[in-house]
Amino acid sequence: KQEVTQIPAALSVPEGENLVLNCSFTDSAIYNLQWFRQDPGKGLTSLLLIQSSQREQTSGRLNASLDKSSGRSTLYIAASQPGDSATYLCAVNGDKIIFGKGTRLHILP
Amino acid sequence: EAQVTQNPRYLITVTGKKLTVTCSQNMNHEYMSWYRQDPGLGLRQIYYSMNVEVTDKGDVPEGYKVSRKEKRNFPLILESPSPNQTSLYFCASSLAVTNTEAFFGQGTRLTVV
């Protein structure tokens, strides 16, 4: 059974710093991995989708990597801003989508 | 605009009163699913549908029903809601279950008193 773990559960960093969020999964037989952002009480906004054949995807200040063989993905956020404060979720798509519990990120002004 | 639309966004109801949360997508997606999100438990899949008239249970289907009579709509039905179904619900769709991006609705916050 696929299990998805996100570490840390919460993170506070000063504005301007680069940071890395981690996602690990137990079953490497996946189609893709997707990173989402969720603001408190709100919906999920898709940030990046990495297909199983890809190693990384970039969108603006965000870069996501995927190492399927080791069951790991990272989300790199460059030059963090207070507006980046949110919960970040990774979701692994095998025969169904399994979510991690998220990393709650707080950027300190 | 490509989107998944859920209604209502907020709902407070009483135990035992049947309710339906609607979900509609305008992207001609085949795959649709429902999730609930609870503190400490994350997002868990309730039901999913691979196509019209094809539905199956997810991880937490007890107390819920779904139907998929049309490709664009996938309503979630609570025949007799209970307080433990108080949660934030999300509908999602994707072109297929495999290597395609999932799109989520804005969520429905349900409170059962």
Side-chain angles (χ1 to χ4, degrees), chain B residues 1-4 26-27 103:
Chain B
E1 179 189 354
Q3 59 185 1
V4 179
N26 62 0
M27 296 168 278
F103 294 83

Side-chain angles (χ1 to χ4, degrees), chain B residues 3-4 24-29 32 68 71-72 93:
Chain B
Q3 59 185 1
V4 179
S24 180
Q25 50 91 7
N26 62 0
M27 296 168 278
N28 202 35
H29 284 171
M32 297 185 74
R68 188 91 181 272
K71 199 171 189 179
R72 64 183 292 126
S93 77

